[in-house]
Amino acid sequence: MEKKLINKVAMVTGAARGIGREYALRLAKLGANIVITDIDLTAGNYKESDISANTVKEELENLGVKALAFQGDGTDEEFVVDVVKSTMNEFGHIDILINNIGGTGGAGPGLATEMSVEKFKKVIDINLTTTFIFSKHVANIMKKQRSGKIINISSVAGDVPLFVVQPHYAAGKAAVISLTKTLALELAQYGITVNAIAPGYISTVKWDAHFSSQVEELVKKVPIGRIGTTEDCAKVIEFLATDLSDYLTGQTIQVDGGLLALNPSSTNTDTYHL
Ligand SMILES: NC(=O)c1ccc[n+]([C@@H]2O[C@H](COP(=O)([O-])OP(=O)(O)OC[C@H]3O[C@@H](n4cnc5c(N)ncnc54)[C@H](O)[C@@H]3O)[C@@H](O)[C@H]2O)c1
């Protein structure tokens, strides 16, 4: 792999497992020094995991780059300020930010008419507020540098609510698409681009555990005919994090094997428990 990102610093949030870990590893393979954050840096160390070292930080260092790892809640602005300060003390610049934290944080699914405000806000915070807080503090560094690439992680659910029991998650991911456009408009004059990806069904150890009984049904909805991989997403992140995408901003790319192109109006009213 060509080392296109040598001397660059990339921050990836929620990178202790799953797709975020894959982004961190790919950017490291491209030569970038990496900063990862997670509410639980050991989140990837479960039995079925394919993690190749004790921690993701160690995996990154094994690829020959420098790595920093910070454990904390991405909804806590003080934590994020500390992460940005420590990163600047170590490296002096931040070139790429991947806002990957997301999910329901154990809050689980539910119907909008039955959901507590507390549960709704929790999921909005995990998906939207973390993206806002990291973008705010990292963009203020990038503005001084007059360069940078911010990449937000939405979901196809932010465009079409695939499951009726995800009003909180779908609303949070839709708002991430909107925030991506607003930030792009504000930051273009500073040489900073802001884009997003919206993954479809992407296999991770956690996703497989939840959806194993439904895979056959789900695959039928995907024109490309298979569930996506973390690598499918990481390849698009490479495009958005490198000079290949220099004239692109405010965009959300669906990495979904054609899922939404096939049937954009389909919703699934079955409940599932993620
Ligand atoms: N897997 C999919 O099919 C899929 C589809 C569409 C979008 N996405 C999005 O992609 C991203 C990664 O998904 P994944 O499947 O790897 O999920 P995951 O749950 O495996 O990984 C999310 C990571 O974020 C961390 N995290 C959660 N809340 C946090 C918080 N408040 N502060 C700090 N860290 C926190 C978790 O500990 C975990 O390591 C998420 O934003 C998710 O919504 C995933």
Side-chain angles (χ1 to χ4, degrees):
M1 195 175 285
E2 191 196 335
K3 303 247 180 216
K4 297 176 196 169
L5 295 179
I6 282 216
N7 295 327
K8 302 282 186 192
V9 174
M11 183 177 288
V12 187
T13 73
R17 72 172 181 218
I19 320 180
R21 167 176 165 258
E22 189 75 37
Y23 300 152
L25 292 173
R26 186 154 195 115
L27 295 174
K29 285 176 194 160
L30 292 164
N33 293 320
I34 308 291
V35 182
I36 60 166
T37 79
D38 205 288
I39 200 162
D40 176 7
L41 286 173
T42 67
N45 300 28
Y46 38 81
K47 217 169 96 202
E48 304 82 3
S49 169
D50 53 357
I51 191 163
S52 65
N54 290 324
T55 60
V56 175
K57 178 175 186 286
E58 216 175 290
E59 284 189 297
L60 293 164
E61 287 165 346
N62 290 344
L63 291 168
V65 301
K66 287 188 190 160
L68 301 179
F70 299 96
Q71 180 162 301
D73 188 338
T75 66
D76 173 359
E77 187 166 17
E78 271 180 40
F79 165 71
V80 176
V81 168
D82 282 349
V83 169
V84 171
K85 266 192 198 149
S86 304
T87 302
M88 289 302 284
N89 287 341
E90 176 67 23
F91 295 119
H93 55 108
I94 306 172
D95 306 289
I96 298 157
L97 169 66
I98 317 284
N99 280 308
N100 171 72
I101 293 171
T104 61
L111 294 169
T113 51
E114 295 167 4
M115 189 174 289
S116 69
V117 172
E118 190 189 16
K119 179 165 163 172
F120 185 80
K121 279 185 174 171
K122 177 176 178 170
V123 176
I124 294 289
D125 277 350
I126 291 172
N127 292 282
L128 176 62
T129 313
T130 58
T131 302
F132 162 70
I133 297 174
F134 273 97
S135 297
K136 171 182 166 185
H137 292 285
V138 173
N140 277 319
I141 301 292
M142 291 174 166
K143 276 167 81 172
K144 289 183 197 137
Q145 296 169 182
R146 301 198 75 81
S147 68
K149 287 180 176 278
I150 297 177
I151 302 157
N152 298 328
I153 309 302
S154 179
S155 163
V156 288
D159 191 340
V160 174
L162 295 177
F163 298 94
V164 76
V165 290
Q166 288 188 324
H168 44 5
Y169 181 75
K173 290 303 195 187
V176 166
I177 296 173
S178 174
L179 182 62
T180 299
K181 292 180 192 170
T182 311
L183 284 170
L185 293 179
E186 179 181 342
L187 297 173
Q189 62 189 305
Y190 302 101
I192 302 165
T193 62
V194 188
N195 292 293
I197 71 164
Y201 303 131
I202 307 298
S203 168
T204 65
V205 176
K206 183 181 149 211
W207 190 94
D208 294 352
H210 285 288
F211 288 103
S212 56
S213 61
Q214 297 174 54
V215 168
E216 256 177 58
E217 272 314 298
L218 294 178
V219 166
K220 282 185 203 153
K221 300 180 179 185
V222 182
I224 284 184
R226 64 173 174 82
I227 298 298
T229 63
T230 56
E231 209 185 3
D232 287 323
C233 295
K235 285 179 187 168
V236 184
I237 292 294
E238 174 177 340
F239 167 65
L240 292 175
T242 61
D243 61 357
L244 293 174
S245 59
D246 277 352
Y247 198 58
L248 198 79
T249 198
Q251 301 301 310
T252 297
I253 302 177
Q254 285 165 357
V255 187
D256 68 352
L259 178 68
L260 293 195
L262 175 70
N263 190 357
S265 63
S266 85
T267 56
N268 183 343
T269 52
D270 295 345
T271 51
Y272 79 100
H273 300 281
L274 188 59

